[in-house]
Amino acid sequence: MTLATHDVRWSAGGHLIVDGITLSVEPNRMLGLIGPNGSGKSSLLRLLCRMRKVASGVVTLDARDIGDLSRRDLARRLAFVEQQATTDVHLSVCDVVRLGRTPHRAAFASWTREDEEAIDHALERVGLTDRHDQPWHTLSGGERQRVHIARALAQEPRELILDEPTNHLDIQHQLSTLALIRRLGLTCIVALHDLNLASLFCDRICVLSAGKLVAAGMPEAVLTPDLIRRVFGVEVRIHDGAGGRRHIEYIIDGDQGETP
C-alpha cells in the first residue's frame, strides 16, 4: 500500500467531521470515495494532502507519516485536484500547467528544458497539446478540468487525489474525464457523487457516512441495495449490463425506476 490513513480523526467547530477512518489504496489503482453530502469526503481528502492537520491518527505514504515530509517533498510525490478550481486571472493554458512545476523549482530559478518537457508531456497526456497557448477563459468546463489535471501531472506525482472532478460537467465530459484519470496509471483516490460512475471506473470503493467508514471493497460487493438504502436513503434495483457492468436504477414511489 502507498497512501493510507490509520484511525484518523478531525474536528471543526466542535463537531467530529472525520471519525476514526482507516483505509488504504493499492499502487496504480483507483479508489472511489462515496457518501452523502456532509459525510466527510472532502475533509478526508484534505487530510490526505496535509492541507489540514489530523487531530489524531496518522496519514502515511509508503508507511511514513506525511507529517515528517517537507511540503516540497510531499508535493513532488502527491498532487491534488480541487473541486471546481477556477481563476479570474487572464492566463494561458500553459501558464496554469506551469504552476505544477513549483515543487521542482528553486525560488527565482529560470525555466529549464526539463520544466518545459514536463509541461508538454502533461498536456499531451490529457489530450490538450493544441491548447498550449489558448486563453484559459475560452475553454469549456471539461477542458478546464483536464487542464487542472495536467497541472497536477506537471508535479510528476505517483499519487493523485481528486475531489469530485466530474462536478458540474455534462455526462460526456464526466465519462471522458474519469476514463482519462483511469488511463493515467497512477494511484488515485477520487471523491464521487454518482454511484454508477463510481461502480464503472473505480477498482475499490469506500463508503463514508457521518464521518465514518461504513463499507470498503470491490464495487459489486459494496454497492448493494441494502447499503444504498441505509446510507443514501433511497431504494434501488441493480441490473447486470453489457460486458459485466452493473447499473444502479433508482426507484421512485416504490415501483417506478429512474436513471439519473
Side-chain angles (χ1 to χ4, degrees), residues 229-251:
R229 181 188 309 112
R230 287 188 290 110
V231 173
F232 295 93
V234 295
E235 298 289 337
V236 302
R237 299 186 187 98
I238 297 180
H239 306 280
D240 292 326
R245 294 171 177 167
R246 301 163 76 245
H247 175 72
I248 299 168
E249 179 187 13
Y250 296 89
I251 300 172

Side-chain angles (χ1 to χ4, degrees), residues 60 117 148 150 161 171 192 230:
T60 60
E117 288 177 349
H148 279 298
I161 296 176
I171 187 60
L192 293 169
R230 287 188 290 110

Side-chain angles (χ1 to χ4, degrees), residues 57 67 97 108 123 132 181 220 255:
V97 180
F108 309 113
L123 285 171
H132 186 282
I181 293 167
E220 59 270 23
D255 58 358

Side-chain angles (χ1 to χ4, degrees), residues 5-170:
T5 68
H6 307 270
D7 198 25
V8 162
R9 288 177 170 81
W10 180 78
S11 300
H15 298 284
L16 194 58
I17 307 299
V18 175
D19 187 2
I21 291 182
T22 296
L23 60 79
S24 60
V25 56
E26 297 176 357
N28 310 121
R29 307 292 276 180
M30 188 166 168
L31 174 68
L33 289 184
I34 65 171
N37 287 338
S39 60
K41 299 187 301 295
S42 293
S43 296
L44 179 59
L45 293 184
R46 281 157 177 77
L47 293 170
L48 288 167
C49 299
R50 214 174 76 184
M51 294 175 67
R52 292 174 178 164
K53 186 177 180 180
V54 299
S56 64
V58 63
V59 178
T60 60
L61 189 59
D62 289 341
R64 183 180 178 185
D65 187 339
I66 64 169
D68 295 335
L69 299 173
S70 70
R71 291 199 174 275
R72 180 181 291 271
D73 286 343
L74 184 61
R76 287 175 174 175
R77 175 66 186 269
L78 183 152
F80 180 51
V81 178
E82 295 187 72
Q83 180 184 157
Q84 208 177 359
T86 60
T87 178
D88 294 326
V89 179
H90 291 287
L91 299 173
S92 69
V93 167
C94 181
D95 290 332
V96 174
V97 180
R98 276 182 176 148
L99 296 173
R101 295 303 297 166
T102 302
H104 297 273
R105 304 179 64 249
F108 309 113
S110 300
W111 288 96
T112 66
R113 172 176 287 185
E114 182 180 2
D115 290 323
E116 296 299 337
E117 288 177 349
I119 293 165
D120 290 342
H121 183 51
L123 285 171
E124 181 181 0
R125 293 178 77 182
V126 302
L128 289 178
T129 298
D130 60 339
R131 300 287 199 271
H132 186 282
D133 297 315
Q134 186 167 328
W136 160 263
H137 67 274
T138 65
L139 299 178
S140 69
E143 289 170 333
R144 291 187 184 192
Q145 188 62 282
R146 281 194 281 162
V147 171
H148 279 298
I149 293 171
R151 175 201 49 79
L153 293 177
Q155 291 178 224
E156 301 180 304
R158 287 165 54 186
E159 287 79 23
L160 183 62
I161 296 176
L162 306 102
D163 189 5
E164 296 185 25
T166 58
N167 197 25
H168 301 302
L169 297 183
D170 61 39

